[in-house]
Amino acid sequence: FAGRRGDGAFALRARGSGERLYGMPPRGKQRPVPSKEEVQRRWAALGSERRQALMTFVEPALVDRVRSSMHALWEKQSIMQRLGIRLPANSSDDPITASDLFKSAFMLTCVRCRPEAAGGAHSGEQALVLSAALAMQEDFLGRPDFIEALARVLPDVLRPGSPARSPMPRARWKEIFAVEPSSIASMEQQLVRLLQQGLWL
């Protein structure tokens, strides 16, 4: 996959240790859903590292779902092209390059996990273990119209409704990608729903 190699240590700590990035209640308690205005206020007050921590997703099952969704969309578009079906003007062979949101906001990257002994526990050599991650690009994180940019993809972003649009435990975030996207637009909406869960923390 495309991307770059980075440390990502802060992201692993923030998302793996239960760090309360901004007011997350203890486990086992139902946390209230903040209003869109409250989320915007909290987001504006966060520094760049905390923003990056919230918008970096390292859970293997979740990242695999995202990659599988993009691959499935690529296969669908390839089949349509072979059948002579005309695709939208913004479509291409690669869903990543066809998606304005993915190109401007995301990158698939590697983060450093824990070192492991190479060649056996007593070899004394350490091998770097890398894990795939979905991270947000710094330029997009710093946009003053960050929430508005998400709303252009999903107009009712941050406005909970049905159970599917309410805050979910982090372990269930991968369910957002349970259904393969049928178009670039539906893939982008799935990505915004994922970001929405991070913003609700």
Side-chain angles (χ1 to χ4, degrees):
F1 52 83
R4 63 178 176 80
R5 181 175 297 178
D7 191 330
F10 69 90
L12 288 171
R13 289 198 299 271
R15 305 204 71 81
S17 63
E19 180 183 346
R20 295 173 67 177
L21 288 177
Y22 47 58
M24 189 172 72
R27 291 181 180 178
K29 291 187 178 181
Q30 182 67 34
R31 53 190 172 92
V33 182
S35 67
K36 182 177 180 178
E37 293 71 23
E38 176 66 9
V39 171
Q40 289 177 307
R41 185 190 66 79
R42 293 175 177 180
W43 179 259
L46 290 178
S48 58
E49 286 197 357
R50 291 228 168 174
R51 288 186 178 192
Q52 185 69 75
L54 281 173
M55 297 293 108
T56 298
F57 305 93
V58 299
E59 293 83 358
L62 170 60
V63 177
D64 284 346
R65 287 275 182 94
V66 174
R67 295 173 63 186
S68 296
S69 292
M70 289 190 294
H71 181 71
L73 187 55
W74 174 82
E75 286 188 327
K76 288 177 183 177
Q77 293 193 166
S78 298
I79 292 173
M80 292 173 69
Q81 287 177 334
R82 287 198 297 269
L83 294 175
I85 300 174
R86 186 168 183 173
L87 298 175
N90 67 334
S91 297
S92 72
D93 293 337
D94 185 354
I96 294 179
T97 59
S99 168
D100 292 335
L101 177 68
F102 204 100
K103 282 191 300 184
S104 61
F106 291 99
M107 56 186 173
L108 284 170
T109 183
C110 289
V111 293
R112 184 186 304 168
C113 298
R114 63 189 182 283
E116 292 185 350
H122 304 291
S123 67
E125 297 181 4
Q126 298 290 309
L128 181 64
V129 179
L130 298 176
S131 178
L134 178 68
M136 183 164 283
Q137 297 183 37
E138 292 182 10
D139 289 346
F140 199 88
L141 283 170
R143 288 181 59 158
D145 64 338
F146 179 82
I147 302 297
E148 290 77 8
L150 302 185
R152 284 193 284 271
V153 175
L154 193 67
D156 57 349
V157 66
L158 296 174
R159 299 195 185 281
S162 65
R165 294 294 311 279
S166 300
M168 297 187 295
R170 186 180 288 114
R172 292 185 54 201
W173 289 0
K174 60 181 178 292
E175 296 176 12
I176 295 171
F177 301 91
V179 177
E180 293 180 353
S182 59
S183 65
I184 299 295
S186 61
M187 182 187 74
E188 291 182 335
Q189 289 177 353
Q190 287 178 325
L191 290 169
V192 172
R193 290 191 180 101
L194 174 61
L195 300 181
Q196 177 176 247
Q197 292 295 324
L199 289 167
W200 271 333
L201 282 179

